[in-house]
Amino acid sequence: RHLRNVRGFFSDYYLGTVFARSGAGRRLADRSVEPPFREMLRIYQRADGRAETSSENRDHLGWPLLARVLEFTIAPSAGSDAAAGISALSAAALDKPIALAYIGAWDEEPDAKIKGKKQTPSQILERALSSADLPYGFFITGERIRLIRRPGEGPRVDPRRRAPDGQ
């Protein structure tokens, strides 16, 4: 109930395979997901109430989540834009960024315009992904973690086939 496949980000076949209801597959997935989930919960509980602003949220929630749970390295390089809240992410063995992250304030909405700016946080991240020529980025707040694809990346989605919540 916490996951939504907005605009067909993942194929139905892939999701059916990952979240198979068979006994063996389900137990294997639970064993591999449980330790990182517990670490994510610890990070979240430590940040809750202490991370109201974007910079506090980056320090207490976003960066620890990206580093300790998802095992990214924060790479201050191509694609990073501290003023826009964008950080470049690389894998431990790589120097080149492979994704970007926008870490906003605790209750920041991904699709609501930022005061004094003409774009939403999602649009800022999408533009940064296009500029850095990277396919994926993370939008992280205290209330949401959203995986975002660069515009034009991935399969085309039929506009008549919409998610149940209208997205």
Side-chain angles (χ1 to χ4, degrees):
R1 71 182 171 111
H2 298 294
L3 300 174
R4 289 184 297 151
N5 189 26
V6 178
R7 292 185 291 177
F9 194 96
F10 296 103
S11 73
D12 291 338
Y13 175 79
Y14 175 75
L15 291 176
T17 303
V18 170
F19 296 109
R21 300 202 186 275
S22 67
R26 184 63 187 241
R27 283 193 304 274
L28 176 63
D30 287 347
R31 275 196 309 269
S32 62
V33 169
E34 189 64 30
F37 179 74
R38 273 193 252 124
E39 179 63 16
M40 184 177 80
L41 226 58
R42 276 192 291 274
I43 292 167
Y44 180 84
Q45 288 168 343
R46 278 187 232 134
D48 191 13
R50 297 176 48 198
E52 295 297 320
T53 68
S54 295
S55 62
E56 291 170 339
N57 204 32
R58 263 192 303 279
D59 294 342
H60 296 293
L61 179 69
W63 288 341
L65 175 72
L66 290 166
R68 297 200 314 247
V69 177
L70 299 177
E71 298 181 358
F72 281 109
T73 301
I74 309 300
S77 58
S80 293
D81 183 352
I86 303 290
S87 301
L89 308 174
S90 66
L94 303 173
D95 291 332
K96 181 182 176 202
I98 58 173
L100 297 179
Y102 177 98
I103 304 170
W106 190 264
D107 60 352
E108 190 168 339
E109 291 292 327
D111 301 315
K113 290 211 189 305
I114 300 170
K115 187 176 180 179
K117 297 193 180 203
K118 295 181 180 179
Q119 295 180 313
T120 67
S122 291
Q123 291 168 334
I124 290 170
L125 181 54
E126 287 173 352
R127 189 178 63 177
L129 288 169
S130 292
S131 296
D133 195 29
L134 293 171
Y136 301 105
F138 292 91
F139 172 85
I140 300 172
T141 67
E143 298 176 352
R144 287 185 178 76
I145 300 172
R146 190 183 274 188
L147 184 60
I148 295 180
R149 229 183 354 224
R150 174 180 62 208
E153 190 77 24
R156 302 274 185 246
V157 176
D158 184 347
R160 294 170 292 183
R161 186 177 167 206
R162 300 177 72 79
D165 64 356
Q167 293 188 14

